[in-house]
Amino acid sequence: MELSGAEIIAQFLDDEGVEYLFGYPGGAVLHIYDALLQADKVKHILVRHEQAATHAADGYARSTGRTGVALVTSGPGMTNAVTGIATAYLDSIPLVVITGQVPTGVIGSDAFQEVDSVGISRPCVKHNFLVNDVKDLAETLKKAFYVASTGRPGPVVVDIPKDVTDPNIKIPYSHMPSIEMRSYNPVTKGHPFQIKKALELMLQAKKPVFYTGGGVVLSNASASLCSLVRQLGFPITSTLMGLGAYPSSDEQFLGMLGMHGTYEANMAMHDTDVLIAVGARFDDRVTGHLEKFCPDAKIIHIDIDPSSISKTVKVDIPIVGDVDDVLTTMLEMLKDDSKETSLKVEKSSCDQEIKDWWKQIKVWRKKNCLRYNKKTKTIKPQYVIEKLHEVTKGDAYVTSDVGQHQMFAAQYYGFDEPRRWINSGGLGTMGFGLPAAMGVQLAHLDKPVACVTGEGSIQMNIQELATCMQYQLPIKIINLNNRYLGMVRQWQEFFYEGRYAMSYMDSIPDFVKLAESYGHVGMKIDKTSDVEDALKEAFAMKDKLVFIDFITNREENVYPMIAAGKGQHEMQLAPDSELV
Amino acid sequence: MRHIISILMENESGALSRVAGLFSARAYNIESLTVAPTEDPSLSRMTLVTSGSEEIIEQITKQLNKLVDVVKLNDLNVSGVKHIEREMMLIKVKAPVSARDEIMRLSDIFRGNIIDVTDDAYTVELTGTSDKLNAFIASFDCDSILETVRSGVMGIARGSSSLHL
Ligand SMILES: Cc1ncc(C[n+]2csc(CCOP(=O)(O)OP(=O)(O)O)c2C)c(N)n1
Ligand SMILES: [Mg+2]
């Protein structure tokens, strides 16, 4: 088959089984767009801003485990996409972003819409490529998909100069089923000796706790994690990124840990003697003050990325490998512990040992740290999320933006399955929620998708309401409207003596009219008693996007909270006056 | 501690900037960095001199290994590895008649070669460890040095162990 560069791209995406391409056209990618008209399978989704293209591809990737793909033009198209690329990078999400570039002959001459895309994206991609010759195009694209989706996943940028896509230059093309790279060989199998050592330590633990992160989701390791944790009877806590990988309704689950984690999770972390970190990276929002982090613990760390191990916290037993692979090996070793792998400690004696630990955890749980007053007239944001869970029977995909509403969603939705909770944890990108929800909805056309957002965040990519109309995406936007940049205001209340510098936004739009002007349904709800009915009504409209503007309690704070510099055991709980 | 890290990487445009970018983004030290293609033109060999605590050096080697263009890497300053290091310098010094004998004598002592001679300046080529090059520089007073250029350190392991594909 003889194809031009532009046709190779279109054909390659079809051959690779790419379902959706999120993009926005421009001069440097016009040949590609023209060729895409001929593509059979890949569907192009026209966003309204390139940042949204990358977030939508990201939402698609997070909710399916497949690689998300975006296409943007050179210069401003590429720079607009950078925030989305960095968002995916910090959460290790597989993306391939194709960026147009000025023709090879003028690169470096400050040509119209020229930026050094490879240079700009270098610090926030797993890898990037500049394709200088159409003969390298197919192989480079194959490498990009391979690198993005294997090992520790991440975004890959492929920068393609316009002349490389010239419709008049045709070369032979055939799809490569796979590719090898001598410089890139991600480890997958954990070392059996290390795994056995870890198991022995775990079976001797008196106060063990599992601390699991986004790596469990990325590695599709939920099933093996659940089997292992249940078999051992250990308590488990999860990071923001790992929520859903272990069902939050399970007895053994302590809730999320970290800055806004539960009392029981953070106390257990502080007192544990054996910490089993699985696909988590000891982020500063999790550890709090490093010197006070898990003072008595021996630490086991399972991660596919060797550079995550002992980066900020020194670990005792590192296991480099794919999380699912390692956990599966652990389960096998536990099963045939009588044979040659024989583990030194009997599991039954271990159960006995940790009884006291569970007793202690139950005492911590009694604090009921997520309690809040449900009888207020003004709407509590926590209440909206609890009702959202009820109305959707816990079966929705929930995306969020960044701020207090994000923490409330994480704390109160109660995710029981992986890939249901879609948020920007690492970069904390306001504006992520709505475009991410588009990618999620496209990947799951029959499922309810909710975007939990705030009146600040939603305005960062509000233009995507038009995309949602064009492609009939029935997302439910849950706007927790506190008329504040709430998370900023909370910090100003706590740490700047209540001086609210620029955390209030004047001129908040009428969201109902705004939604309607795009052709969607808008609702404004300001009484607690109306919350449930509004949600039911909205989710009953299965083919409509509904924007529900919940006017919530203005100065609500997120609790519990570990302030900067504090240890995990120094959490601040909600003041009693808040609780009933 | 000072570490010499040898890196074998794909000879691709941008490979060097990935390494340089990694060091600046993560605030690691670079004392020197040299790079050139190897006998296999698809591969470049880089020698990088850095310093830091054991934890930092461990992170540096892990982060370098993570770069997709890096094929292989060796830290020459780990226990069990003996290595040789060399650096080359070209140094141009003022050479008034009164100083020429002394310059030649010093060059001999340090096993240098005088590779360019004019009426008022000599250029000496010198190879050795960084300390040796420093010592040579120190034997001139500052005013008489017109220019120095150093290659940065290159390193190789002793014996038959080698960094290759
Ligand atoms: C792009 C971006 N800019 C700034 C911030 C800093 N920031 C974090 S939370 C927040 C407030 C968000 O306000 P809103 O969306 O109304 O949510 P709320 O906290 O009120 O629930 C800000 C400004 C950010 N995370 N992302
Ligand atoms: Mg707000």
Side-chain angles (χ1 to χ4, degrees):
Chain A
M1 197 167 17
E2 296 256 310
L3 297 178
S4 72
E7 290 165 340
I8 288 176
I9 295 169
Q11 186 61 43
F12 176 88
L13 295 175
D14 268 357
D15 291 345
E16 197 69 15
V18 174
E19 254 186 305
Y20 294 108
L21 174 61
F22 299 90
Y24 205 89
V29 289
L30 282 177
H31 298 327
I32 304 176
Y33 270 88
D34 197 43
L36 279 171
L37 291 175
Q38 311 305 323
D40 301 329
K41 294 180 224 137
V42 60
K43 290 189 263 317
H44 182 276
I45 303 296
L46 178 67
V47 294
R48 299 300 187 267
H49 186 297
E50 289 87 350
Q51 182 187 351
T54 43
H55 287 330
D58 180 325
Y60 174 88
R62 288 181 203 237
S63 68
T64 60
R66 294 198 286 273
T67 301
V69 192
L71 169 64
V72 300
T73 192
S74 68
M78 186 276 163
T79 55
N80 272 350
V82 169
T83 301
I85 296 169
T87 301
Y89 181 63
L90 280 203
D91 290 341
S92 306
I93 304 304
L95 284 194
V96 170
V97 180
I98 299 172
T99 59
Q101 183 54 279
V102 300
T104 47
V106 297
I107 285 181
S109 68
D110 301 320
F112 177 63
Q113 296 197 324
E114 177 183 4
V115 293
D116 174 8
S117 302
V118 164
I120 286 176
S121 61
R122 187 185 308 115
C124 58
V125 292
K126 182 168 173 186
H127 196 58
N128 57 20
F129 299 93
L130 171 64
V131 184
N132 280 308
D133 190 327
V134 64
K135 290 195 205 75
D136 302 331
L137 185 55
E139 186 178 329
T140 306
L141 287 169
K142 189 75 200 177
K143 282 183 184 169
F145 276 78
Y146 173 53
V147 170
S149 60
T150 51
R152 179 179 182 171
V156 175
V157 165
V158 186
D159 199 28
I160 307 181
K162 188 166 183 181
D163 55 322
V164 171
T165 62
D166 188 336
N168 299 315
I169 303 173
K170 306 225 176 197
I171 62 160
Y173 165 83
S174 62
H175 187 247
M176 314 164 93
S178 67
I179 194 152
E180 275 185 30
M181 293 167 73
R182 63 178 175 187
S183 63
Y184 176 72
N185 299 291
V187 181
T188 53
K189 291 245 175 296
H191 199 292
F193 178 78
Q194 291 292 92
I195 298 177
K196 191 172 162 219
K197 228 166 78 176
L199 266 181
E200 279 170 3
L201 181 63
M202 283 153 70
L203 292 177
Q204 284 165 27
K206 296 189 170 57
K207 303 174 179 179
V209 63
F210 275 91
Y211 144 52
T212 60
V216 178
V217 178
L218 294 169
S219 146
N220 297 316
S222 276
S224 53
L225 176 75
C226 293
S227 309
L228 184 68
V229 171
R230 291 203 176 114
Q231 195 168 328
L232 291 167
F234 292 179
I236 170 170
T237 174
S238 163
T239 68
L240 180 70
M241 295 311 298
L243 291 177
Y246 191 89
S248 64
S249 53
D250 189 275
E251 251 312 286
Q252 281 169 253
F253 189 65
L254 306 184
M256 180 170 78
L257 82 165
M259 182 172 272
H260 293 299
T262 65
Y263 185 71
E264 51 271 36
N266 284 324
M267 291 304 287
M269 287 291 288
H270 182 264
D271 281 14
T272 181
D273 63 348
V274 174
L275 179 67
I276 309 125
V278 188
R281 62 185 179 89
F282 298 83
D283 178 84
D284 53 276
R285 285 293 190 266
V286 158
T287 59
H289 192 68
L290 275 177
E291 258 130 61
K292 299 178 187 171
F293 179 74
C294 300
D296 306 323
K298 285 246 184 295
I299 302 178
I300 297 163
H301 189 184
I302 305 169
D303 205 291
I304 196 157
D305 177 4
S307 74
S308 278
I309 290 176
S310 293
K311 184 169 66 175
T312 53
V313 172
K314 189 111 190 102
V315 310
D316 301 280
I317 304 181
I319 304 172
V320 177
D322 174 67
V323 166
D324 190 47
D325 196 274
V326 173
L327 297 181
T328 307
T329 309
M330 283 186 167
L331 284 165
E332 281 161 10
M333 285 185 181
L334 281 174
K335 225 195 290 167
D336 54 26
D337 68 27
S338 54
K339 292 184 210 142
E340 73 274 21
T341 48
S342 93
L343 293 160
K344 286 198 201 87
V345 187
E346 290 290 315
K347 196 184 153 299
S348 51
S349 69
C350 158
D351 290 348
Q352 206 51 41
E353 296 278 12
I354 64 168
K355 263 207 182 115
D356 289 342
W357 180 226
W358 272 113
K359 246 187 234 160
Q360 172 62 66
I361 288 171
K362 276 176 193 142
V363 173
W364 290 326
R365 263 188 178 157
K366 284 229 174 71
K367 286 251 183 200
N368 202 358
C369 68
L370 293 178
R371 213 156 33 118
Y372 65 94
N373 185 351
K374 301 188 188 199
K375 298 195 189 94
T376 54
K377 242 207 213 123
T378 52
I379 301 173
K380 288 274 186 179
Q382 300 93 323
Y383 179 79
V384 178
I385 305 293
E386 283 190 338
K387 286 292 159 193
L388 176 66
H389 178 99
E390 267 178 54
V391 169
T392 59
K393 303 192 180 65
D395 191 35
Y397 286 82
V398 179
T399 73
S400 94
D401 271 300
V402 174
Q404 292 183 317
H405 61 272
Q406 175 190 27
M407 292 301 121
F408 290 133
Q411 291 173 324
Y412 293 90
Y413 190 82
F415 293 91
D416 280 341
E417 279 177 67
R419 301 194 183 280
R420 294 302 177 106
W421 167 234
I422 313 285
N423 85 129
S424 164
L427 196 66
T429 309
M430 288 171 70
F432 174 79
L434 178 57
M438 302 188 316
V440 176
Q441 186 76 76
L442 283 162
H444 308 277
L445 290 168
D446 303 329
K447 285 283 187 179
V449 177
C451 166
V452 175
T453 184
E455 81 297 333
S457 296
I458 192 67
Q459 292 189 69
M460 285 213 177
N461 270 320
I462 191 79
Q463 76 287 344
E464 295 310 314
L465 285 174
T467 312
C468 294
M469 181 40 80
Q470 181 171 346
Y471 298 96
Q472 295 293 309
L473 303 178
I475 296 161
K476 305 297 178 273
I477 298 177
I478 312 296
N479 190 39
L480 300 180
N481 187 346
N482 53 11
R483 286 84 71 215
Y484 271 124
L485 299 176
M487 191 54 97
V488 173
R489 187 209 56 73
Q490 176 169 348
W491 282 55
Q492 289 170 336
E493 177 188 329
F494 288 3
F495 310 121
Y496 297 86
E497 297 168 327
R499 293 186 299 278
Y500 292 168
M502 298 294 148
S503 51
Y504 166 69
M505 271 196 298
D506 212 342
S507 310
I508 295 170
D510 178 336
F511 287 111
V512 173
K513 280 192 194 151
L514 183 63
E516 285 170 358
S517 81
Y518 281 100
H520 301 303
V521 178
M523 298 180 183
K524 180 171 173 173
I525 304 297
D526 53 13
K527 281 203 289 296
T528 303
S529 52
D530 292 341
V531 169
E532 187 168 348
D533 286 346
L535 285 167
K536 280 185 177 151
E537 194 186 331
F539 279 93
M541 288 187 248
K542 290 215 185 307
D543 51 359
K544 286 229 170 354
L545 183 148
V546 184
F547 190 121
I548 321 181
D549 189 21
F550 289 102
I551 307 302
T552 59
N553 188 31
R554 280 204 91 181
E555 304 207 348
E556 192 69 33
N557 286 322
V558 182
Y559 291 108
M561 177 167 182
I562 303 174
K566 299 281 184 186
Q568 297 153 310
H569 57 308
E570 298 168 308
M571 250 163 305
Q572 192 177 338
L573 297 180
D576 286 342
S577 58
E578 294 280 316
L579 310 173
V580 171
Chain B
M1 201 183 124
R2 176 174 175 272
H3 282 247
I4 302 176
I5 299 172
S6 295
I7 306 164
L8 209 53
M9 58 197 306
E10 297 290 352
N11 187 7
E12 302 263 354
S13 72
L16 176 63
S17 57
R18 288 182 210 280
V19 173
L22 171 69
F23 274 69
S24 66
R26 296 193 182 261
Y28 303 141
N29 283 319
I30 297 189
E31 273 172 31
S32 76
L33 187 158
T34 73
V35 58
T38 64
E39 75 285 358
D40 172 350
S42 71
L43 288 172
S44 286
R45 167 77 173 242
M46 180 182 284
T47 309
L48 196 149
V49 181
T50 182
S51 59
S53 62
E54 283 312 302
E55 291 79 34
I56 297 220
I57 299 292
E58 184 182 327
Q59 265 301 308
I60 289 177
T61 55
K62 284 174 169 177
Q63 293 290 350
L64 283 168
N65 258 319
K66 207 164 121 178
L67 292 177
V68 168
D69 282 338
V70 168
V71 182
K72 259 188 177 175
L73 157 172
N74 263 346
D75 182 346
L76 295 177
N77 295 83
V78 292
S79 63
V81 175
K82 290 213 172 79
H83 75 276
I84 303 162
E85 60 179 276
R86 289 290 181 273
E87 188 177 357
M88 184 173 157
M89 171 167 72
L90 304 178
I91 177 166
K92 188 179 288 184
V93 293
K94 286 181 193 161
V97 177
S98 59
R100 288 180 190 171
D101 282 353
E102 178 63 5
I103 296 171
M104 286 196 285
R105 215 167 50 81
L106 279 170
S107 171
D108 280 348
I109 293 171
F110 282 84
R111 295 197 206 150
N113 296 313
I114 296 174
I115 55 171
D116 186 50
V117 174
T118 61
D119 283 351
D120 43 12
Y122 281 11
T123 299
V124 183
E125 170 203 320
L126 198 67
T127 304
T129 63
S130 303
D131 285 348
K132 175 177 158 184
L133 304 193
N134 291 340
F136 188 72
I137 291 173
S139 56
F140 291 87
D141 68 56
C142 281
D143 290 346
S144 60
I145 299 177
L146 293 169
E147 191 178 344
T148 62
V149 49
R150 298 170 68 148
S151 64
V153 171
M154 293 177 291
I156 198 163
R158 283 188 184 275
S160 57
S161 82
S162 58
L163 184 64
H164 67 129
L165 271 190

